[in-house]
Amino acid sequence: MRLLRKVVTRILLLCAMVAAGATAGAGAANAAVPDVWGFAYVDVTSGVPNLAYQAGSWGAGPTVSVTPGGTGEYFVRFPKIGIPKGGIAHVTAISQAAEWCQIEKWGQSGSDEIVAVRCYRYGGTPVKARFSIVFASSSGALASASQAYGYVYWDGGSIASDYNSALGVNAVFPNTTGDWTVWLPGLGSAVQAGNIQVTAVDSGKPARCKVGAWSWAPSGQKIQVLCHDVSDKPYDTGWTLTYQRERAITGAYAPPKLFAYTFDNVPANPGPYAPAPAGINYNSQSGINTVRTAGPGMRLAFFPRVGVTPNNVQVTAYGPGPEFCNLLTLWTTYGSDVYVRDVVCYKGTTQVDQPSFVTYVSAY
């Protein structure tokens, strides 16, 4: 009876909070912040990373730069897009080992935005690693009903930054340790559609975060975020989450024409197969994205017709356990096509077939 009362009380509380548009974990979803974006493939520990894979709303001239910190720590400076507060950042390790990268913090420095990143090997040892990173900030509403975009930065105790393209008030409901429910009202869909990216934010300890579950309704998207520590135990930490539907990961501002995403929801399928339903396998140029096996725990994602550099790829694992995913190496842009060879997922240090979200964006 006590458990039943607890469940009923939680349901009533959730309904009341959603109806009121407020909760202890609700954000000012539409605060006025500049609309900016930037991305980079970081292949250096100091200096300017690969110019062919960096771009941003700063335009021609300035470049992304990197300053080293402690072991495995990088300060990525995005020029001319510094904002006083807000925005969202995601990072994906590019490695041939069981490694991941997480965000430590980000903030404005003069006219620039600096994002601190730290990378770890499974077990918690800081390591040098290459990685793919994206930063974005959005405001205002989207006019198209088919498109949706929203993000949340949970700082460990509350929503510190968020956005909702339907002007809804996003909410976060802590569950048990390392487990949260995110509610994105107004971004709903009648069928499963869109893509999700999640990144851990922790400046003190190694942490990994992922999507644990996802449900949808016309009223909004409900997403479970799960985070784990170095020993695969549930862990309370900060995190960022972005939901996109027919919109690029770079946000609501000046969207590129060339982008795509997919949800590899049947990782045991040797492929090539096109993930279904169609809404989770979007291509802005009407190409058919496909996924196929490339070996144990390795998946090759193919995005046709959208291949132009500079471009960027992000990956997030999906499922109830502590598994995580990274990229084996830099993606390949060949003609108008993009080959992500490969998405690699791990349980501990063992490669495993694991559902994953993959999102691709170009600068154009």
Side-chain angles (χ1 to χ4, degrees):
M1 288 298 293
R2 180 178 299 176
L3 177 60
L4 179 60
R5 285 196 299 270
K6 184 176 180 180
V7 171
V8 172
T9 300
R10 181 170 179 77
I11 291 173
L12 292 174
L13 179 63
L14 175 62
C15 292
M17 288 176 171
V18 170
T23 167
N30 308 293
V33 293
D35 294 334
V36 298
W37 62 272
F39 61 68
Y41 159 55
V42 176
D43 58 346
V44 297
T45 57
S46 180
V48 178
N50 197 315
L51 290 172
Y53 294 94
Q54 60 169 272
S57 54
W58 55 80
T63 61
V64 176
S65 61
V66 179
T67 302
T71 303
E73 186 179 37
Y74 308 83
F75 296 93
V76 183
R77 181 181 289 268
F78 291 99
K80 307 295 183 181
I81 62 169
I83 59 175
K85 184 179 180 181
I88 199 79
H90 291 288
V91 63
T92 296
I94 301 176
S95 172
Q96 297 188 9
E99 298 174 352
W100 75 89
C101 297
Q102 64 196 58
I103 303 294
E104 290 189 316
K105 58 185 177 179
W106 68 86
Q108 185 179 25
S109 177
S111 63
D112 304 335
E113 190 75 21
I114 297 179
V115 183
V117 175
R118 194 147 199 176
C119 301
Y120 295 90
R121 181 161 295 158
Y122 182 80
T125 302
V127 294
K128 293 181 180 179
R130 297 172 297 157
F131 57 87
S132 173
I133 185 171
V134 61
F135 176 82
S137 174
S138 295
S139 64
L142 292 180
S144 173
S146 66
Q147 298 177 348
Y149 181 80
Y151 59 71
V152 172
Y153 164 38
W154 177 259
D155 67 5
S158 64
I159 294 178
S161 171
D162 72 324
Y163 168 75
N164 183 303
S165 65
L167 305 186
V169 179
N170 303 326
V172 175
F173 303 94
N175 300 314
T176 57
T177 300
D179 184 334
W180 300 262
T181 298
V182 181
W183 173 243
L184 304 176
L187 307 186
S189 53
V191 297
Q192 187 180 31
N195 192 268
I196 306 164
Q197 295 295 315
V198 173
T199 299
V201 180
D202 198 305
S203 59
K205 295 182 180 180
R208 304 188 312 270
C209 297
K210 62 187 295 190
V211 178
W214 174 24
S215 60
W216 56 94
S219 56
Q221 304 288 334
K222 185 170 73 173
I223 302 163
Q224 180 190 37
V225 174
L226 298 177
C227 298
H228 296 85
D229 65 9
V230 294
S231 59
D232 290 346
K233 294 180 180 178
Y235 174 54
D236 281 339
T237 186
W239 44 262
T240 57
L241 176 148
T242 296
Y243 171 78
Q244 59 181 128
R245 187 173 73 243
E246 297 186 21
R247 203 77 180 182
I249 190 72
T250 44
Y253 170 74
K257 295 180 180 179
L258 303 177
F259 66 95
Y261 52 76
T262 194
F263 178 22
D264 182 14
N265 53 9
V266 190
N269 187 334
Y273 87 106
I280 63 170
N281 196 46
Y282 182 79
N283 184 298
S284 67
Q285 300 302 302
S286 300
I288 304 300
N289 310 322
T290 58
V291 184
R292 69 176 68 188
T293 187
M298 295 191 295
R299 305 289 281 173
L300 188 158
F302 173 60
F303 298 113
R305 302 183 183 178
V306 292
V308 173
T309 57
N311 50 21
N312 190 270
V313 174
Q314 296 292 321
V315 175
T316 291
Y318 176 87
E323 297 86 359
F324 63 99
C325 303
N326 64 21
L327 293 172
L328 182 68
T329 189
L330 179 67
W331 52 94
T332 299
T333 308
Y334 184 77
S336 62
D337 301 330
V338 174
Y339 298 83
V340 182
R341 185 190 298 271
D342 300 299
V343 176
V344 187
C345 299
Y346 296 91
K347 185 173 185 179
T349 57
T350 302
Q351 293 179 193
V352 294
D353 291 333
Q354 184 70 25
S356 62
F357 295 96
V358 187
T359 189
Y360 163 85
V361 63
S362 75
Y364 304 104

